Structures are given as C-alpha cells and as structure tokens.
C-alpha cells in the first residue's frame, strides 16, 4: 500500500503532464524540459524522495502514509521513514541487500496490531528495530517500497491523460534555480519545478485542488544510500515478534 501511494503520486506529478507540453520559451521548450526530467528520474541510480500529503478529499486511513522521506537505490537499499494518517504513527526503515530493519513507534504498533496486543507489543519492543529478511511476510511490504528500480518501472508504465504544460519564469527552490512547468487536469493544478541547468531534473512537484494537496521533492540524485545498519543490541529478530504475538 505504501509503495502504491508513491508510484501513483509520482505518476500524477511527472508522467501524466509530460505527454503534451506547450511550445514555449527561448531555449528548451516545456516539452523538452519535462522529457529530460522524466528521463533523469527514471535513469537515476539513487534518489531521495520526500512526500507530503495534506489532502482532505478522502479519509486518510491509519495504514496509509501521509509523509515519507526515503533514500533508495536500484540495488534495493533504503534508509528513511514514513508517517501514517489518522494517528497511525510512524516507522523508521533500513534495508541493505536482503536484510530489513523496521522501528515503529507506539502509535504505529497500536494501529497495526488489533486489540490490546498493539499496546503490549509497543511496550515490549519499544525503541528497537524488528530485524529480518525480505522473505518475511511481516517485513516484505516495507521492503518492497525500497526498490528504486522496480519503482521506476512501475512509474514508467503508469500512463495517464494528456495535459498541456506552460513554462514559467525562473525561480528558486531550496537554493536551486528551477523553471516551473504548470498544468491543470480534472480541476487540479500541478507545478513541476525542473532545474534550470543541465542535467535537467525534477526537484519538486506540487498538486492542489479538489481536496488534493500533495508535494513531492527529489534530491540526492545518484548519491549513495547510507550503509550503516542498526546494531544487534538495538534489534529484535522478527521471529521473536511472531512468538510474542502468538503468546499475547
């Protein structure tokens, strides 16, 4: 579910509008800028992606992320965190190769584990990572979110309706010179901020309207994902979690 949210958000912001863009500007057209931004995102070896979703059009479930901050690469390595909606808590994630570490907070445990079990598990594993492999069913959903290569393939194949973009005046996003590309679809206004200098990369995308209020930022293109992993003292094997759940 978390992976699908990322894929859909990225597809909405980037791939939907770039299919048709206005021929506007002295140098690169909006079409060319958007195409290059798409190519550089889909070709990135690694990227840091932040998602903030303040949408109000539909109820946000406790298992649906409203914010994410993930550094991920094509090898499936990942470091980051996500926060769920409606008081569903947050979870930190570390993945290296086929090993996964996940540290939920108390609110996350209570939202994910039914009945009084959630509170008991939260206390038992407080401030510790659950450690296991990508083969474990309890960790697989989080682990799948960390695979940039698979993410890129799914985004690339998630086409949508055509939208015409217009090119705005150069501005600044977090110290980077960018060119805004604006478009509207189904009553929702989108702005893609693409770097003015080559290589032209998407650094921010915003979509608002009809209850939607979402922002994506992309940084650290091709920067290696940190390799540090939690210590054994800070971790509990996932089998221990399963045993505790059965005994509570």
């Amino acid at each position: 579910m978390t992976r699908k949210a990322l894929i859909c958000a990225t597809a909405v912001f980037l791939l939907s509008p770039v299919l048709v863009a206005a021929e506007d500007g002295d140098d690169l057209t909006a079409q060319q800028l958007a195409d290059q931004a798409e190519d550089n995102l889909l070709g990135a070896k690694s990227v840091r992606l932040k998602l903030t979703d303040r949408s109000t059009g539909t109820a946000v479930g406790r298992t649906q992320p409203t914010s994410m901050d993930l550094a991920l690469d094509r090898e499936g390595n990942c470091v980051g965190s996500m926060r769920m909606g409606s008081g569903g808590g947050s979870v930190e994630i570390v993945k290296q190769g086929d090993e996964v570490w996940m540290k939920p907070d108390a609110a996350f445990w209570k939202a994910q584990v039914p009945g009084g079990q959630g509170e008991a598990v939260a206390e038992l594993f407080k401030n510790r990572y659950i450690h296991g492999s990508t083969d474990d069913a309890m960790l697989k959903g989080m682990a799948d979110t960390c695979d940039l290569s698979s993410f890129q393939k799914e985004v690339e194949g998630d086409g949508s309706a055509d939208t015409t973009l217009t090119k705005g005046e150069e501005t600044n996003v977090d110290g980077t010179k960018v060119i805004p590309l604006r478009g509207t679809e189904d009553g929702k206004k989108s702005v893609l901020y693409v770097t003015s200098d080559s290589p032209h990369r998407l650094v921010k995308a915003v979509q608002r309207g009809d209850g939607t209020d979402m922002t994506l930022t992309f940084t650290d293109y091709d920067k290696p994902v940190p390799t540090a992993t939690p210590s054994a003292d800070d971790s509990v094997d996932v089998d221990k979690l399963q045993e505790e759940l059965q005994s509570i």
Side-chain angles (χ1 to χ4, degrees):
M1 187 177 295
T2 57
R3 180 185 181 80
K4 185 63 176 177
L6 274 173
I7 292 167
C8 290
T10 304
V12 166
F13 283 134
L14 183 61
L15 300 182
S16 170
V18 302
L19 300 179
V20 177
E23 296 292 326
D24 186 25
D26 296 330
D27 300 317
L28 293 179
T29 65
Q31 174 72 64
Q32 290 169 328
L33 282 170
D35 284 347
Q36 289 190 30
E38 176 187 346
D39 290 343
N40 284 318
L41 177 59
L42 297 180
K45 295 179 180 178
S46 62
V47 70
R48 182 178 180 181
L49 188 152
K50 294 183 181 181
L51 166 68
T52 301
D53 185 357
R54 299 187 178 93
S55 300
T56 59
T58 57
V60 179
R62 302 180 80 186
T63 59
Q64 185 70 25
T66 55
S67 67
M68 300 185 191
D69 184 353
L70 298 173
L72 59 165
D73 65 21
R74 287 188 173 188
E75 304 302 317
N77 301 315
C78 177
V79 176
S81 62
M82 61 181 69
R83 178 170 293 279
M84 307 302 170
S86 301
S90 62
V91 58
E92 296 178 25
I93 306 167
V94 178
K95 180 175 178 291
Q96 284 288 316
D98 61 358
E99 291 189 273
V100 184
W101 292 260
M102 181 182 77
K103 185 168 75 170
D105 65 6
F108 184 93
W109 281 124
K110 293 173 185 178
Q112 297 287 334
V113 181
Q117 286 183 317
E119 188 170 349
V121 171
E123 181 61 29
L124 185 64
F125 298 109
K126 182 169 59 176
N127 297 325
R128 289 192 287 177
Y129 287 86
I130 303 301
H131 175 224
S133 76
T134 53
D135 294 328
D136 190 279
M138 298 187 73
L139 299 175
K140 183 173 176 56
M142 292 292 182
D144 285 349
T145 306
C146 290
D147 189 345
L148 178 60
S149 181
S150 178
F151 170 75
Q152 289 166 326
K153 290 178 182 177
E154 293 189 53
V155 170
E156 187 175 23
D158 197 349
S160 185
D162 296 353
T163 300
T164 299
L165 293 178
T166 57
K167 194 173 167 184
E169 294 295 326
E170 184 180 69
T171 185
N172 188 292
V173 172
D174 297 329
T176 300
K177 292 181 179 180
V178 295
I179 297 174
L181 307 176
R182 294 183 171 87
T184 302
E185 182 182 356
D186 296 331
K188 299 175 183 178
K189 296 182 178 180
S190 298
V191 186
L192 310 179
Y193 296 91
V194 177
T195 54
S196 303
D197 297 330
S198 182
H200 299 289
R201 291 170 170 166
L202 179 67
V203 298
K204 183 177 180 180
V206 178
Q207 187 178 59
R208 293 192 175 98
D210 193 25
T212 298
D213 185 355
M214 301 178 69
T215 301
L216 278 168
T217 63
F218 299 84
T219 59
D220 296 347
Y221 281 81
D222 298 327
K223 181 178 179 178
V225 172
T227 58
T229 58
S231 68
D233 291 341
D234 293 331
S235 306
V236 178
D237 192 273
V238 68
D239 291 338
K240 175 67 173 176
L241 170 61
Q242 294 170 332
E243 291 174 6
E244 293 297 334
L245 288 175
Q246 292 173 0
S247 65
I248 295 176

